[in-house]
Amino acid sequence: MGGDYGPEVTIPASLDRLKNNPDLKLILVGDEAVIAQHLAQNRDEYRERLTIKHASQCVAMDESPAKALKNKKDSSMRIAINLVHDGYADACVSAGNTGALMATARFVLKMIPGIDRPAIISTLPTIYGHTHALDLGANVDCTAEHLFQFAVMGAELVKAVENIENPRVGLLNIGEEDVKGNEQVKAAAKLLENSALNYIGYVEGDSLNAGNIKVDLIVVDGFVGNVALKSIEGAAKMIGTALKDAFSKNSLTKLAGLIVYPVLKSFRKRIDPRLYNGASFLGLRGLVIKSHGGADILAFRTAVHLAEIEIKKDVIRKISEQVEKTLAMRETA
Amino acid sequence: MGGDYGPEVTIPASLDRLKNNPDLKLILVGDEAVIAQHLAQNRDEYRERLTIKHASQCVAMDESPAKALKNKKDSSMRIAINLVHDGYADACVSAGNTGALMATARFVLKMIPGIDRPAIISTLPTIYGHTHALDLGANVDCTAEHLFQFAVMGAELVKAVENIENPRVGLLNIGEEDVKGNEQVKAAAKLLENSALNYIGYVEGDSLNAGNIKVDLIVVDGFVGNVALKSIEGAAKMIGTALKDAFSKNSLTKLAGLIVYPVLKSFRKRIDPRLYNGASFLGLRGLVIKSHGGADILAFRTAVHLAEIEIKKDVIRKISEQVEKTLAMRETA
């Protein structure tokens, strides 16, 4: 029910994934009448792999997380997370209110023992392929220990999803020299240097999209990570607007735009943020994926697909085991 | 002498500004023989407005600020800042080592009384025009008081340079709601709300390039601001590369690129970072402008032009007076 467009987007995207993955089973959680109406004849077609779970409430996009948690016990969000908790679902995908989703997920699913705070991880396109970054906004005022925990969890996810043995982990800083950075970053660097992780050192903001060195995972405080992510969104929006404006100036530029349409389309495809939609909450005892609220069908489809991949790769179990192993190593050290 | 290209860039850019501003006088500081060689016959042409001040040393781009300060007392950077201190120059423009420039400027020029730390301010292009942001990397671990001081200084600069009576000041945060943010940001918001500044509240990372609301000055901790700035650089680089690659794919796309060249050129011009090059160090008792190290002639010319504007608008004096006034208001409060 969530996101800026609700079932208009989430249902066609779900149907598309059902069509493309014959192993996928989906439970659509929300207002049954609304869902049934959007499904129409597709309901019969996917009878065996598609169920509806009714929810009488819905968390608003601007509702406070605390209020949603307290007053919306029959919301689609809460019920979907309950399904994960109770083992009826392997993952919950939502385009709804991020804060409420995080608070509800944390309350219902609980944390992996040894992890203090959940973190948000996502994939970002780069010049040479893509990279992963966390935390993108779940936490502010992270300590060095938090950053270290994020690195352990994120590296395990990258390992599983990308089939990389030793993901290269970088720590986001304002320079690559040892003397640079704030206190948390300097202390986190020490923890990472002394860990079993493949820590490559400091990386700068441009490495999120255009780093000269290969880095598979970028670790950052949630405040800084969120600002960086939104700064990138703003830059892309400005550049996209300028490009559109240049081609819409007059009938001649419009004609030019038509001529080069296939080229612009292939350009757009390569950096299309919709193909990178979906952020996983790490640190919880269950899989929750957050789609961008403004996601369209293509973008929401990407988020559902991400859930399928992370379920198949058994990411949550692997992270839990790795965290336990890391804790045990510390105790014996 | 500084930057990635040295006099090859700085001298043609300087000559171009001399040509365009008949009131401008420049002192080129560095190795006299090298400068003379690059100036060639232009030296005579601008005889009355162009002088060379010899410096036997040069600060390397990767030199530690402490070492540069200690061992490079006859560097072009040090001498240029001395000229500002001694009243022979109204501003110093450098494409050199940022850390060394900041440390030297702070040591030689000293702080404006009432300001704890210098901050770096720059202009950023937005969809609707441009905005200003500080601190972009001089400080990490800023307190609320530091952020407040940055706002007072930045607002005065924007007022002078843009001829705006009450610049709209936003505080960079990870959401617009009151509950969002880290401790420093929340405390800084209180200081700004109770000030005489035209404080409009929290703004998010995308407002640096694409905000929906008009904001003239964005205040941010130097760590976060630097990461945001470099993230934007990375995003722009990735998008630019993808666009270039799309048009270079084969002879057909190359032909298409030729056809739409004027359109792409007008697009590029609107967001060209070289037209926004130049960051001012605020909080010092003298004007120092830092150009991007990788600046080309056009970009360095922009930085010199920025110095001309800030000198004409008497920015340093206005900031000093405003800081004094703000301090006096606090004492009587």
Side-chain angles (χ1 to χ4, degrees), chain A residues 107-181:
Chain A
F107 178 78
V108 173
L109 298 173
K110 305 285 184 282
M111 302 297 296
I112 292 173
I115 296 296
D116 299 326
R117 298 173 170 196
I120 299 176
I121 189 165
S122 191
T123 309
L124 293 153
T126 69
I127 288 182
Y128 311 103
H130 61 265
T131 189
H132 302 258
L134 89 167
D135 173 32
L136 295 176
N139 308 280
V140 298
D141 295 318
C142 290
T143 64
E145 172 63 25
H146 296 141
L147 294 173
F148 175 71
Q149 292 175 6
F150 298 165
V152 171
M153 296 194 292
E156 204 55 32
L157 177 135
V158 173
K159 217 162 127 180
V161 169
E162 306 281 351
N163 297 314
I164 301 175
E165 196 53 49
N166 283 305
R168 292 164 62 86
V169 179
L171 189 58
L172 198 60
N173 199 353
I174 59 169
E176 285 164 14
E177 308 85 10
D178 281 348
V179 295
K180 289 283 178 84

Side-chain angles (χ1 to χ4, degrees), chain A residues 125 204 230 238 245 270, chain B residues 125 204 206 230 238 245 270:
Chain A
E204 297 190 62
K230 289 192 179 143
M238 178 189 66
D245 287 354
R270 182 159 153 208
Chain B
E204 297 190 63
D206 58 349
K230 288 194 178 139
M238 179 189 65
D245 287 354
R270 183 161 151 207

